Amino acid sequence: MGKGSGTGKKKNEEAAATPNPPPPPAVDKAAASRVARRPAQPAPASTAPLVAAKPTKPEAKPRKSGELERVHVQQPGADRSALKELPALRDAPPAKREELFILKLKLCSVIFSFDDPTADKRGKDMKRQTLLELVDYVNTPAGQKIFTESVMGDLMNMVSANVCRALPPATDDFDPEEDEPVLEPAWPHLQVAYEFFLRFIVSSEVNAKAAKKYVDQKFCLQLVELFDSEDPRERDYLKTILHRIYGKFMSHRSFIRRAISNVFYRFVYETERHNGIGELLEILGSIINGFAIPLKKEHLQFLVRALIPLHKPKCVALYHQQLSYCIIQYVEKDADTATPILNGFFKCWPWSCSGKQVMFLNELEEILELLGADQLAQVSDMLFTNLARCLDSDHFQVVERALFLWNNEHLVNSGCLSRLNAQAVLPIIYGPLYKNSSGHWNATVEGLAQNVLKMYMEYDLVLYDKCTANYFREEEEAKRKLQAIEERWSAIERIASTNTPSITVK
């Protein structure tokens, strides 16, 4: 865990560990129909997919070279003459397949409105069948050969047309912990578009140097913004896709990390509302796992400015598991990061919420398991003082979880709670331990506290007796001070009752 074990190659300094994430379920017609959640429709007279023709509106703006023309079918009863039939890709001669593939991409750029589920059923089904055909075609080694640079522009235009959109505003009273998410109505098309793009990104046939001109930083930023979607199915696809983009395009890595950190800044310091913090942290967990040692200044700043403050928001329970994993990854990479982590960690400690305290104690235990002697020397007073506050909590679950730290064999045998650190820890925690061990209403808490005191008594009886004497002396002193205060108030009350008012109010 020290800083001595680095890597030699410069290009690996930012390399992320890219374990293969579980691929989303294969999309076929039957599964897609189930996701769409609508009854099967009668098959059209011709089952051949359709293609969008060029727009004929005279007022249309001239398009740039290579830009895709799109027909936005948004109203029921919209003009259907823009669509025409095309043969299946598998039936086309090899020389004509690329041209036909591009035509089908243009068809799939037609955007339908799903505000009215009964409108344009046939048109929506035509586009869906074409998307499914494209996914099926590129799902084979032979089909992936079509991912050449000449089709990338049209391919990205189709993906952007379907995926990159403004998300609906969140309702003011939406509670992500209680309310059901609002599912994306266009998911029957959106799902297959995501699946198609995922096959493109993971394909070994795609040349990263050529593709990065189309999968550019603007597109990556749009993907990061889409993580605020309420639909968990969409966020799951986005998580897999962005992770794959990060692994494939090294030139985009720093930009993607900055884009994610900006999301965290807005969330922590402005809105405290975002649906995709957990998924973004899952991606970061894999990225942090691949950081080289010693850690760059940029990565340390990201830890202090973005990750640690994520403990502050009220809804931290929604993503705490992923956040805790990222924090632990940092400590495993470099033990020195434990010092700023614990300093920031206790600043964010939720003293007024027992449930969050229990959650934070779980994370604290994992950090303490990795804490070295040098780091402990820097934070021991703060650490043990805050542990004593947890042991003195009015909520029995917080006390119980804090006492369970002494059930951790590593912490007790060689960690911060061991015999070696008894001189530092016992004088601070003796008071709340003694109170809990002598008559706490919860039998588990009482028994655990008695076990901890017995352990330290066996470690160092002289220290234990000294702490006991100091505790009772402080208790007597506190009683005398309290009694003196009560006597002074009694004296004031007696004087007030015997004196007559000097001013008479008429």
Side-chain angles (χ1 to χ4, degrees), residues 314-343:
K314 297 178 181 178
C315 59
V316 62
L318 292 173
Y319 55 82
H320 182 260
Q321 183 179 359
Q322 296 92 331
L323 175 60
S324 177
Y325 178 78
C326 291
I327 295 293
I328 299 305
Q329 288 290 307
Y330 265 100
V331 184
E332 287 182 344
K333 286 282 179 182
D334 185 352
D336 287 342
T337 59
T339 302
I341 285 173
L342 288 175
N343 284 325

Side-chain angles (χ1 to χ4, degrees), residues 402-422:
L403 287 168
F404 274 133
L405 292 174
W406 278 267
N407 286 356
N408 186 307
E409 292 185 3
H410 172 75
L411 297 183
V412 170
N413 294 333
S414 57
C416 61
L417 306 179
S418 66
R419 181 196 301 265
L420 294 174
N421 299 301

Side-chain angles (χ1 to χ4, degrees), residues 186-431:
W187 189 245
H189 290 175
L190 195 58
Q191 179 202 12
V192 197
Y194 273 128
E195 184 68 29
F196 174 78
F197 182 59
L198 178 59
R199 303 301 168 90
F200 170 74
I201 289 297
V202 302
S203 173
S204 59
E205 299 293 334
V206 175
N207 184 287
K209 187 175 181 180
K212 74 176 182 180
K213 294 183 293 185
Y214 303 95
V215 185
D216 54 12
Q217 291 184 355
K218 179 182 177 182
F219 180 78
C220 293
L221 180 60
Q222 289 173 315
L223 287 185
V224 172
E225 295 297 328
L226 285 170
F227 274 84
D228 201 17
S229 170
E230 285 189 33
D231 196 325
R233 302 169 299 180
E234 180 170 16
R235 298 198 303 270
D236 194 52
Y237 265 104
L238 286 165
K239 176 182 66 177
T240 305
I241 289 171
L242 188 63
H243 183 232
R244 292 293 193 171
I245 290 175
Y246 188 93
K248 195 177 191 75
F249 303 102
M250 290 189 66
S251 59
H252 291 346
R253 292 182 177 181
S254 178
F255 178 83
I256 291 173
R257 291 197 302 270
R258 288 198 306 272
I260 294 175
S261 64
N262 288 336
V263 171
F264 291 165
Y265 296 150
R266 289 199 305 271
F267 172 68
V268 172
Y269 299 109
E270 296 178 15
T271 65
E272 286 201 15
R273 293 186 62 169
H274 196 284
N275 295 303
I277 300 298
E279 286 82 3
L280 289 171
L281 285 169
E282 283 188 53
I283 298 172
L284 282 171
S286 179
I287 292 173
I288 296 167
N289 185 265
F291 283 166
I293 300 173
L295 293 173
K296 285 184 169 183
K297 181 179 179 181
E298 170 200 351
H299 303 328
L300 295 173
Q301 287 178 342
F302 178 78
L303 168 67
V304 174
R305 297 177 182 177
L307 281 185
I308 296 176
L310 281 174
H311 290 89
K312 291 181 180 179
K314 297 178 181 178
C315 59
V316 62
L318 292 173
Y319 55 82
H320 182 260
Q321 183 179 359
Q322 296 92 331
L323 175 60
S324 177
Y325 178 78
C326 291
I327 295 293
I328 299 305
Q329 288 290 307
Y330 265 100
V331 184
E332 287 182 344
K333 286 282 179 182
D334 185 352
D336 287 342
T337 59
T339 302
I341 285 173
L342 288 175
N343 284 325
F345 190 57
F346 286 114
K347 287 180 182 178
C348 303
W349 196 271
W351 295 110
S352 61
C353 181
S354 58
K356 289 181 181 177
Q357 287 190 67
V358 172
M359 187 170 61
F360 277 37
L361 281 165
N362 292 332
E363 181 179 354
L364 178 63
E365 181 172 4
E366 293 188 68
I367 297 173
L368 295 181
E369 287 179 348
L370 302 170
L371 198 64
D374 293 340
Q375 293 77 37
L376 178 61
Q378 300 176 49
V379 298
S380 60
D381 288 344
M382 175 191 63
L383 170 63
F384 298 139
T385 300
N386 283 283
L387 274 181
R389 287 186 66 182
C390 292
L391 291 170
D392 203 27
S393 172
D394 292 332
H395 200 290
F396 80 99
Q397 288 182 333
V398 177
V399 181
E400 182 182 54
R401 183 60 187 89
L403 287 168
F404 274 133
L405 292 174
W406 278 267
N407 286 356
N408 186 307
E409 292 185 3
H410 172 75
L411 297 183
V412 170
N413 294 333
S414 57
C416 61
L417 306 179
S418 66
R419 181 196 301 265
L420 294 174
N421 299 301
Q423 294 280 349
V425 62
L426 187 59
I428 298 175
I429 67 170
Y430 181 88

Side-chain angles (χ1 to χ4, degrees), residues 90 148 151 160 164 210 229 232 264 400 447 491:
R90 295 185 184 277
T148 61
V151 306
S160 297
C164 299
S229 170
F264 291 165
E400 182 182 54

Side-chain angles (χ1 to χ4, degrees), residues 164-175:
C164 299
R165 66 203 190 281
L167 296 173
T171 55
D172 292 336
D173 59 347
F174 177 72
D175 184 354

